[in-house]
Amino acid sequence: MAQTIETHGEPDLRPVGLRGIAADFSSDQRAFKTASWGKAMMWIFLLSDTFVFGCFLIAYMTARISTPVAWPNPSEVFALHIGGEDVPLILIAIMTFVLISSSGTMAMAVNFGYRRDRHKTAMLMLLTALLGACFVGMQAFEWTKLITEGVRPWENPWGAAQFGSTFFMITGFHGTHVTIGVIFLLIVARKVWRGDFDEERRGFFTSRRGRYEAVEIMGLYWHFVDLVWVFIFAFFYLW
Amino acid sequence: MNETTAHAHIQTAHAQTPHSQAPGQQHPIRLYLFVWGLLFVLSACSYMVDYLGIQSYLRWTLILVFMMLKAGLIVAIFMHMAWERLALVYAILLPPVLVLVFVALMVSEADYTIFTRLAFFGAGP
């Protein structure tokens, strides 16, 4: 049929719904018609990362359910002493708002990227990187506070020893993702700023033509980091 | 499928997916700002659940509802999943749902572990 020879970027004339899925998966070219290979590969990487974080959270759930020792109350553990009284989870709340804001600036950077407004795109990406760095900074503060209070991967002053190991593992792995994201943002922002994507300059590593889609692919990674934090916030800090 | 029905399907595809024709996911800035605001409100709501000290099943219902709404908004709008073709949507979103089977297995396993710990070692460490 005529629509099987459609390629990326041309008008979409393919069937939709379940029939569309069957047509896409049985096609003799690529399954994900409107997503380029770069975008599809980032999605598949993120799917694998979902399983990694999923396993971490499931391990934490298993440890927490199966221990007869009382689990520390996160609402009290993560409280900060401000103005003479303990405010529960205040640092975590600020970290959440900072990360959501960075997701907002990233989404707008993608938008300005496709409008080929390279200065606005680069500035929004730098702002995203700055907010990400703020998040990592606050996490370093949180870790320092807990370590001085005696939390270790094998013990803590408030109850079940498993609290320490799961806390450092889950937040540590998420913080690593944010840090790698900040570096990734700076690299792509530099490419945007000097106009690599306007002149389709080839990448030093892949030697493929640079396109503004790189900003969207970078955005997928960044939003995923925010997405994981939504689950960590709900399961680790609110449970 | 004969040529006539094939053509009819092409027509519906054309009418139903106006967004996928635009190269590179172009959407209005206003939509992003709206979702951004909504995520702030939802985060504030889940924070208030803890701040107000809501307990038991109501706490869990609220936390999970706010979590899923936030996750859904990020994936659908910020990551543009709402405008991708169904083949990609299903390939990415169905596998994580199957992780729930793993969750159920481990809940059952953890229940058994705590049962044997309490039965053989008592409540204390």
Side-chain angles (χ1 to χ4, degrees), chain A residues 128-238:
Chain A
T128 309
L130 186 70
L131 288 166
C134 278
F135 179 89
V136 178
M138 284 188 278
Q139 196 163 55
F141 173 79
E142 183 194 22
W143 274 45
T144 312
K145 181 174 173 285
L146 289 185
I147 290 169
T148 47
E149 283 171 350
V151 182
R152 297 289 181 274
W154 54 88
E155 68 179 0
N156 71 74
W158 312 288
Q162 294 94 322
F163 174 82
S165 48
T166 47
F167 169 77
F168 287 123
M169 179 179 70
I170 294 172
T171 62
F173 205 67
H174 180 261
T176 308
H177 272 74
V178 179
T179 310
I180 292 169
V182 169
I183 297 166
F184 192 2
L185 274 167
L186 294 177
I187 293 171
V188 180
R190 174 172 175 263
K191 283 169 177 276
V192 171
W193 184 261
R194 68 175 184 187
D196 281 16
F197 299 145
D198 293 302
E199 61 198 53
E200 298 194 336
R201 185 173 174 151
R202 289 180 183 274
F204 72 96
F205 189 62
T206 58
S207 72
R208 282 177 181 271
R209 290 181 193 283
R211 288 184 298 152
Y212 272 103
E213 196 184 34
V215 182
E216 191 193 348
I217 294 171
M218 165 69 240
L220 284 179
Y221 178 89
W222 191 258
H223 296 308
F224 176 77
V225 170
D226 188 22
L227 182 66
V228 169
W229 185 253
V230 170
F231 288 90
I232 295 178
F233 181 59
F235 291 131
F236 202 90
Y237 295 101
L238 294 180

Side-chain angles (χ1 to χ4, degrees), chain B residues 21-92:
Chain B
Q21 293 172 50
Q25 300 283 2
Q26 283 268 34
H27 310 292
I29 287 275
R30 201 159 49 86
L31 178 65
Y32 293 123
L33 291 174
F34 175 68
V35 171
W36 190 351
L38 216 51
L39 287 172
F40 255 76
V41 172
L42 288 169
S43 297
C45 286
S46 27
Y47 178 63
M48 286 316 281
V49 170
D50 187 73
Y51 192 80
L52 297 176
I54 298 169
Q55 292 303 328
S56 170
Y57 286 108
L58 179 62
R59 179 190 183 93
W60 268 107
T61 314
L62 289 175
I63 288 175
L64 290 180
V65 165
F66 293 142
M67 179 189 83
M68 288 317 291
L69 284 175
K70 278 169 74 180
L73 281 174
I74 293 171
V75 174
I77 311 296
F78 280 175
M79 300 172 93
H80 306 131
M81 201 50 130
W83 300 286
E84 299 290 358
R85 283 190 65 81
L86 271 183
L88 181 65
V89 175
Y90 277 51
I92 301 301

Side-chain angles (χ1 to χ4, degrees), chain A residues 86-172:
Chain A
D86 284 334
V87 189
L89 289 181
I90 185 69
L91 183 65
I92 311 303
I94 298 170
M95 284 164 78
T96 305
F97 288 124
V98 166
L99 207 56
I100 286 174
S101 295
S102 77
S103 235
T105 53
M106 186 68 233
M108 288 168 65
V110 174
N111 205 287
F112 283 110
Y114 282 131
R115 295 176 193 196
R116 308 184 85 78
D117 187 337
R118 65 189 174 93
H119 288 123
K120 270 197 185 117
T121 308
M123 288 319 289
L124 280 165
M125 289 185 83
L126 287 177
L127 185 59
T128 309
L130 186 70
L131 288 166
C134 278
F135 179 89
V136 178
M138 284 188 278
Q139 196 163 55
F141 173 79
E142 183 194 22
W143 274 45
T144 312
K145 181 174 173 285
L146 289 185
I147 290 169
T148 47
E149 283 171 350
V151 182
R152 297 289 181 274
W154 54 88
E155 68 179 0
N156 71 74
W158 312 288
Q162 294 94 322
F163 174 82
S165 48
T166 47
F167 169 77
F168 287 123
M169 179 179 70
I170 294 172
T171 62

